[in-house]
Amino acid sequence: GNIGGVFCLNYMTGEYVVVRARAVILATGYSDRLHQRSTGTREMSADGLAMAWRAGATMVNMEMQWWHTNDIADPPTWQRMQVYPNPMLGSEKSARMVNSAGEEFFNQQNDDPLAFGPYTVQLKALVKQVHAGKARYDGGYYAGFDNCDANEVETYTTYGKTFRQLGLRFPEQLVETAVTSHYRQGGIDVDTATMRSSIPGLYAAGGVSGHSNGLIGLATYDGRVVSDGIAAEFDSLTDRPIADSECEAERRRLEKLRSRSSGGVSPAKVKEKLRKLMWDKVGVEKNAAGLRSALDDIEEIRLDVLPDMAISTQSSIANYEWLDAIDVMNMVEVCELIVHSSLERKESRGPFIRTDFPATDNKKWLVANVLKKSGNGLRFEQRPYQLPFFSPDFDVRDNLQVAW
């Protein structure tokens, strides 16, 4: 019901520390690394979302995933390298996208000239190419700068080096690209005036909270807002002692993850399994059958795989396999919430695409998809958005025909 502090693991020393505090700020970043292809680093395994959910915090729009449309397809280790679609600094030109038949299907100067970050418009253009059999989400289409002045590209970007490292002639040749999951737009439900969550004493700043529009601008003001918010509310926050039994229960949970050291599946393999099912069944295009199948797969992992998960060493010092095991528990929990939220939103909107509900439905779904704990389960509520600056001019329209 409220927050009394943080139970910490110093993974370099293996020591546990309890920090008592009236206010706690979660600033763990985005939950990017939940798909087979992702721009996120290993730390982005949804830890903050899992911690907030276990503490009872309300979540919002967990199904809303932002995608990069043209990151380098191969080698896999380069999947975070984006052939940036926006105009180059110092130039009006940008990379163009070409399908497997050699046909240009996205060029910002022609298709979305006023957009600051045209990722969703690009994604919809790619979906149409996939439907036409001229691209795949894991490759089979290309991007590059053969439409640009090579001197401008070399002056204002570092792309020339990237292409040459891949053995490509720059700028004449294009590079094969693919989709990667990027920032999650949903997360912890917060009051954006204070960054306070639904739990007294728990605040969230940055990508872990649920007010992102897919870009990184929020990182520039959240810190100041949450600081001011806590300062204004601090006197009303109460000290809540953290029970020794709570700390001991968490210590035992973490120690149990480190106690099985042979004969089972490694945490890294479980992560791969989770990311593959999220890519295959909770990827760019989704439907109810695939989402329900994903829930079955997650339940199988929870019941049959996690009990056999083991690490190669029981050391408590700088044990990154132990961290992977902790990550896995968080990932399982959050992936399940994402799938439930994806099933709940029965429409397509922006980068959220359901083939069984292909229309953007402003009559029923111009709302926040709010997720709350309910006993041992969960429940959803819809919260209408206030629209002081922009109101859509349609009720229902094919999402691929919507210009945002």
Side-chain angles (χ1 to χ4, degrees), residues 113-130:
L114 299 180
F116 175 70
Y119 300 113
T120 298
V121 178
Q122 281 183 358
L123 183 68
K124 292 180 181 182
L126 176 61
V127 170
K128 294 174 184 177
Q129 298 302 312
V130 172

Side-chain angles (χ1 to χ4, degrees), residues 303-328:
L303 296 178
D304 298 336
V305 178
L306 295 186
D308 291 330
M309 187 169 64
I311 60 180
S312 60
T313 175
Q314 290 185 311
S315 172
S316 62
I317 300 173
N319 188 338
Y320 285 89
E321 272 197 302
W322 189 18
L323 287 186
D324 281 337
I326 296 170
D327 289 347
V328 164

Side-chain angles (χ1 to χ4, degrees), residues 35-339:
H35 288 81
Q36 187 170 275
R37 284 188 57 88
S38 169
T39 63
T41 57
R42 69 161 305 282
E43 292 81 10
M44 295 183 175
S45 52
D47 304 293
L49 296 179
M51 287 189 287
W53 177 251
R54 287 197 292 269
T58 298
M59 316 300 278
V60 64
N61 294 338
M62 290 285 283
E63 72 280 5
M64 285 297 183
Q65 173 69 52
W66 195 264
W67 304 90
H68 269 180
T69 308
N70 52 333
D71 289 355
I72 289 175
D74 191 65
T77 52
W78 283 42
Q79 64 186 243
R80 297 180 67 232
M81 297 291 289
Q82 185 185 25
V83 183
Y84 204 57
N86 302 3
M88 294 177 286
L89 295 176
S91 172
E92 296 180 352
K93 293 292 186 70
S94 62
R96 69 188 189 114
M97 300 173 67
V98 173
N99 64 24
S100 59
E103 301 161 338
E104 179 180 289
F105 68 89
F106 187 86
N107 184 324
Q108 184 172 351
Q109 282 65 56
N110 301 325
D111 299 308
D112 199 13
L114 299 180
F116 175 70
Y119 300 113
T120 298
V121 178
Q122 281 183 358
L123 183 68
K124 292 180 181 182
L126 176 61
V127 170
K128 294 174 184 177
Q129 298 302 312
V130 172
H131 291 177
K134 297 180 179 180
R136 307 182 313 275
Y137 294 123
D138 63 352
Y141 63 100
Y142 304 84
F145 297 88
D146 61 335
N147 59 317
C148 301
D149 184 311
N151 290 327
E152 279 194 347
V153 183
E154 296 280 25
T155 299
Y156 298 115
T157 79
T158 59
Y159 284 115
K161 178 181 178 181
T162 300
F163 277 67
R164 285 189 286 268
Q165 285 178 323
L166 291 171
L168 299 172
R169 295 191 313 278
F170 181 81
E172 296 87 359
Q173 285 186 283
L174 307 185
V175 64
E176 185 176 11
T177 47
V179 172
T180 51
S181 66
H182 196 44
Y183 301 146
R184 181 162 305 284
Q185 293 175 260
I188 303 168
D189 194 20
V190 295
D191 174 354
T192 53
T194 62
M195 300 302 161
R196 181 182 62 245
S197 76
S198 61
I199 301 177
L202 181 63
Y203 298 77
V208 72
S209 58
H211 66 294
S212 170
N213 66 352
L215 299 175
I216 61 175
L218 60 89
T220 65
Y221 71 86
D222 272 13
R224 174 63 183 267
V225 173
V226 74
S227 299
D228 290 345
I230 292 174
E233 299 177 347
F234 192 74
D235 290 341
S236 67
L237 298 174
T238 58
D239 290 317
R240 175 185 178 266
I242 303 176
D244 290 341
S245 60
E246 290 180 296
C247 295
E248 179 61 18
E250 181 63 5
R251 186 193 69 79
R252 286 198 303 268
R253 183 184 79 87
L254 297 179
E255 291 295 329
K256 186 177 180 181
L257 293 173
R258 191 167 55 85
S259 64
R260 295 187 296 274
S261 60
S262 64
V265 61
S266 71
K269 291 296 184 183
V270 184
K271 282 186 170 184
E272 289 178 9
K273 188 178 182 71
L274 271 169
R275 290 168 179 156
K276 185 176 189 309
L277 82 85
M278 290 294 287
W279 176 264
D280 291 343
K281 299 178 181 180
V282 200
V284 175
E285 295 191 86
K286 299 165 276 287
N287 58 51
L291 292 168
R292 293 192 184 102
S293 177
L295 287 177
D296 292 340
D297 291 343
I298 293 170
E299 186 67 4
E300 180 183 350
I301 290 172
R302 190 192 301 278
L303 296 178
D304 298 336
V305 178
L306 295 186
D308 291 330
M309 187 169 64
I311 60 180
S312 60
T313 175
Q314 290 185 311
S315 172
S316 62
I317 300 173
N319 188 338
Y320 285 89
E321 272 197 302
W322 189 18
L323 287 186
D324 281 337
I326 296 170
D327 289 347
V328 164
M329 307 307 288
N330 293 330
M331 289 170 66
V332 167
E333 196 151 27
V334 173
C335 287
E336 190 172 47
L337 296 179
I338 290 168
V339 178

